[in-house]
Amino acid sequence: MAEYGANTPVLVGVGAVQQNIDDHTCALEPVALMEQALRDAAVDAGSMQLLSLADEILVPKSLWSYTDPGRLLATALGAHSATTLLAEFGVLQQTLLTRACQRIIDGDADVMLVTGGEARFRALCASKAGTDAFETPQNAVEPDITLRPQDEMWSSVESDSGLGMPVGYYAILDSALRYKQGLSVEQHRDQMASMYARLSEIAADNPDAWSDQAVSAAHIREHSAANRMLAFPYTKLHNSQWNVDQAAGLIVCSVGVAETLGIERRKWVFPQAFTESNFMSVVASRKDLGGSLGFRFAGQVAMDLAGVDFNDIRFCELYSCFPYAVRVQLEEFGLDLNRDVSVTGGMTFGGGPLNNFAFQATVKMAQLLRKNPAEIGLVTTVSGLSTKQACALWSTNPGVKDWTCADVTDQVCQQSDVCEVVSNYSGKGSVAGYTVLHQGSDPWRAVAVFDLPGSQRTVAYSEDPAMMEVMMTQECCGLSYYVTAGRFQ
């Protein structure tokens, strides 16, 4: 076990807020939920002074209209000298925690507030009432720091085929992983249904989860009026539930500040090791369409840094926006398929506030680790269309060395095989991955990524009902079709 110094970062306060109020006029707006979560985190730490001492307030962008929510929070919390940071979509949620820890260990900051939240359920209730939910207006207010992704997350070739929402992209990735694993279409559907039924059971036992009802595997697996197919083989209950009102607050400070403020040692949770891959490639360009080199590197390096094996970790929260995200982590980390992959119930049942779930999971993980001080907890993060990957290991004890973060982006970039994605191709192509998108209750369009001669790729679609039926009943990865003008037959 390492000895920790005064600048060692430590998570001392955590708070999670959830509201489920049908009357939107009585419900808190997103920034108010974030404020409450940070206040709860300070209460949890036993020191409200942490809020006014904040050097920086870090918030990931979500679907609200604020331009600098950190400034609203700084004013509300009395953190008048704090700088504010906003991370745009496409930036890993863990990157904010990494920055918080790095500034502290470098001696550039003492107290960092990390928060995020969403009130989509409130907005949905307002919409049903024929109005908009009020949000505090901000005009021409910009954060001190803005983090932006370096590259694009999708290509026009993909969007021209009909791909838009993430569910279609993830279903394509999952079909490629299924084919790689040698599973049949039916085995794949059974495996996902079983996994998500277990997540619903975990959520039912979690008082902080959005859903408190366990759901059967049979119901999750099949298309029905209550559980529509969105992108075969994904039904609604395979998808992150973002129509939630949830927020999380995390207070990270130096050991020196924790000792000065008298924060009880039993409250401290150490970040042992973080890893991130920020290499960006569009989905159709990934030669190993069903794999994740980012998670392979991030996982192995995290294990090496902390001197642990993920298989020996009891508490883990594998990012679960869609089944592929969980399944590819199990594959790349070499984990037992039958193990529990969540402590919250996952993003379908625990609740998946957009761009904030990793913070919700970290709150729950910290609470569990305090009750189980011999354990190490793993929280993973995905950004974009399985574009970026990250791992975080936490413990109430410092690790074998002081906190460290390894950015494995360069290794992933160097070893990734990326194909050129072309449009207007005519000729034979072999299916690398595919899905059938649905509109309402009906199949709408089959979309497939095709391997082409010369290591190129393209994306094409078919609206032929017979073709869509075939693609939902048998494995079509590896089969060849004729592609022309963005369509296949």
Side-chain angles (χ1 to χ4, degrees):
M1 183 183 297
E3 292 295 326
Y4 45 82
N7 285 352
T8 298
V10 62
L11 178 62
V12 294
V14 296
V17 175
Q18 176 166 281
Q19 69 179 6
N20 194 331
I21 302 172
D22 291 334
D23 184 352
H24 70 93
T25 63
C26 297
L28 296 176
E29 64 176 300
V31 74
L33 292 175
M34 289 184 263
E35 178 188 344
Q36 186 61 58
L38 285 171
R39 290 189 184 278
D40 288 353
V43 171
D44 174 64
S47 174
M48 300 305 292
Q49 193 176 351
L50 285 163
L51 300 176
S52 60
L53 291 175
D55 294 291
E56 191 165 284
I57 301 175
L58 303 86
V59 185
K61 178 69 176 173
S62 196
L63 296 175
W64 26 252
S65 61
Y66 319 119
T67 56
D68 183 13
R71 183 56 52 204
L72 294 173
L73 292 167
T75 300
L77 299 172
H80 302 300
S81 62
T83 57
T84 63
L85 179 146
L86 183 69
E88 296 285 357
F89 294 118
V91 174
L92 280 162
Q93 294 162 49
Q94 188 174 305
T95 295
L96 279 66
L97 289 168
T98 297
R99 176 183 171 87
C101 293
Q102 192 66 60
R103 289 201 67 199
I104 289 170
I105 206 166
D106 288 344
D108 296 332
D110 294 315
V111 180
M112 303 286 277
L113 308 183
V114 181
T115 185
E118 188 55 89
R120 290 280 298 175
F121 182 72
R122 173 178 178 264
L124 181 63
C125 290
S127 178
K128 289 179 178 179
T131 187
D132 294 324
F134 171 81
E135 290 182 0
T136 300
Q138 273 189 307
N139 297 313
V141 180
E142 297 297 327
D144 297 310
I145 303 160
T146 302
L147 302 183
R148 295 183 175 90
Q150 291 185 338
D151 295 300
E152 297 295 329
M153 285 188 288
W154 59 80
S155 68
S156 59
V157 179
E158 293 168 328
S159 56
D160 287 347
S161 72
L163 291 172
M165 296 296 288
V167 61
Y169 288 93
Y170 276 89
I172 287 174
L173 290 166
D174 216 343
S175 72
L177 177 57
R178 172 186 72 219
Y179 186 60
K180 182 178 180 180
Q181 293 174 327
L183 296 175
S184 69
V185 171
E186 296 307 305
Q187 287 171 329
H188 180 209
R189 296 183 70 192
D190 288 344
Q191 185 189 94
M192 290 189 300
S194 177
M195 177 188 297
Y196 272 62
R198 176 57 187 150
L199 287 174
S200 76
E201 293 172 353
I202 294 170
D205 289 334
N206 174 14
D208 296 323
W210 189 255
S211 171
D212 60 3
Q213 298 293 320
V215 185
S216 72
H219 181 67
I220 293 169
R221 186 187 193 275
E222 299 301 335
H223 166 81
S224 67
N227 183 38
R228 294 186 297 108
M229 187 71 70
L230 299 182
F232 185 84
Y234 288 172
T235 64
K236 182 179 179 181
L237 289 178
H238 288 124
N239 289 244
S240 176
Q241 171 56 272
W242 70 352
N243 287 323
V244 297
D245 291 0
Q246 293 179 325
L250 304 166
I251 302 178
V252 184
C253 71
S254 66
V255 162
V257 165
E259 291 177 333
T260 298
L261 295 179
I263 298 172
E264 296 179 59
R265 176 62 179 81
R266 65 184 180 85
K267 294 287 188 178
W268 300 9
V269 181
F270 290 89
Q272 286 202 348
F274 288 0
T275 54
E276 294 185 18
S277 170
N278 289 289
F279 174 65
M280 298 185 72
S281 61
V282 301
V283 168
S285 73
R286 302 169 195 172
K287 183 65 175 177
D288 185 6
L289 194 60
S292 176
L293 199 59
F295 266 130
R296 196 179 314 162
F297 275 98
Q300 187 57 58
V301 172
M303 287 188 273
D304 292 343
L305 288 173
V308 299
D309 188 316
F310 286 176
N311 280 292
D312 297 328
I313 291 177
R314 177 182 166 199
F315 298 129
C316 77
E317 184 70 48
L318 303 187
Y319 201 82
S320 53
C321 51
F322 299 96
Y324 169 78
V326 182
R327 289 184 0 90
V328 79
Q329 289 178 78
L330 294 172
E331 177 80 9
E332 300 293 4
F333 297 157
L335 295 178
D336 183 351
L337 294 177
N338 296 314
R339 67 160 296 149
D340 281 343
V341 297
S342 173
V343 295
T344 67
M347 297 176 72
T348 297
F349 305 102
L354 185 65
N355 221 17
N356 177 52
F357 177 76
F359 300 161
Q360 305 289 137
T362 301
V363 170
K364 187 66 175 179
M365 187 63 72
Q367 293 167 342
L368 283 170
L369 293 174
R370 287 169 175 171
K371 295 177 181 178
N372 299 271
E375 303 289 346
I376 293 175
L378 169 66
V379 179
T380 68
T381 311
V382 169
S383 179
L385 305 171
S386 195
T387 309
K388 299 180 179 182
Q389 305 82 22
C391 299
L393 289 167
W394 299 88
S395 175
T396 55
N397 298 302
V400 293
K401 59 180 72 175
D402 212 346
W403 174 81
T404 186
C405 177
D407 190 324
V408 299
T409 302
D410 287 345
Q411 297 99 301
V412 175
C413 179
Q414 290 166 9
Q415 297 200 33
S416 291
D417 193 352
V418 179
C419 306
E420 179 189 9
V421 181
V422 299
S423 60
N424 299 319
Y425 170 82
S426 292
K428 282 287 188 69
S430 176
V431 175
Y434 68 96
T435 186
V436 177
L437 304 176
H438 283 58
Q439 287 188 343
S441 61
D442 300 319
W444 168 61
R445 179 176 284 186
V447 180
V449 175
F450 287 92
D451 286 318
L452 308 178
S455 297
Q456 291 182 323
R457 284 265 179 80
T458 195
V459 186
Y461 72 90
S462 172
E463 294 179 345
D464 177 13
M467 178 71 74
M468 290 188 283
E469 180 63 24
V470 167
M471 289 192 142
M472 291 189 292
T473 54
Q474 66 185 54
E475 182 61 79
C476 292
C477 287
L479 299 183
S480 293
Y481 295 90
Y482 189 80
V483 179
T484 183
R487 298 193 177 212
F488 70 91
Q489 61 184 20

